[in-house]
Amino acid sequence: MDSMFMAITSTTLVYDESDEIALPSGEQSAAWQQRTQNLCSEKKECVNLYPGSNAYFSVSKVGEHFYILDQSIIDAFP
């Protein structure tokens, strides 16, 4: 049986002066979580830091408070 796969990939440069974006899920401070929620609701430009099981996600530090976020979501069509 042949399957067709589609991947949606995005790469985002992020500045986080607190460096909390690189912490494991759930270890960010309440203040950091509140700031990100406020920015997401105001600007509507957010990256899902907690993707589902069909997604690949990585955070890499590239400089002083700068990070590259790579995210790929893979869907399989039978």
Side-chain angles (χ1 to χ4, degrees):
M1 174 185 280
D2 289 337
S3 294
M4 177 194 223
F5 293 93
M6 179 180 76
I8 300 168
T9 304
S10 66
T11 300
T12 307
L13 177 65
V14 175
Y15 176 80
D16 180 13
E17 69 180 279
S18 69
D19 294 321
E20 292 189 59
I21 196 166
L23 295 176
S25 174
E27 290 189 20
Q28 290 85 8
S29 68
W32 185 89
Q33 292 176 15
Q34 185 63 45
R35 280 193 311 272
T36 58
Q37 287 175 358
N38 288 346
L39 288 171
C40 288
S41 65
E42 291 170 8
K43 297 188 182 222
K44 310 276 191 248
E45 296 177 359
C46 300
V47 173
N48 182 5
L49 294 176
Y50 313 109
S53 61
N54 67 336
Y56 163 79
F57 184 82
S58 71
V59 177
S60 305
K61 188 168 187 170
V62 293
E64 189 73 21
H65 307 299
F66 285 94
Y67 297 84
I68 293 288
L69 292 101
D70 287 313
Q71 183 176 16
S72 294
I73 301 170
I74 300 171
D75 291 320
F77 299 98

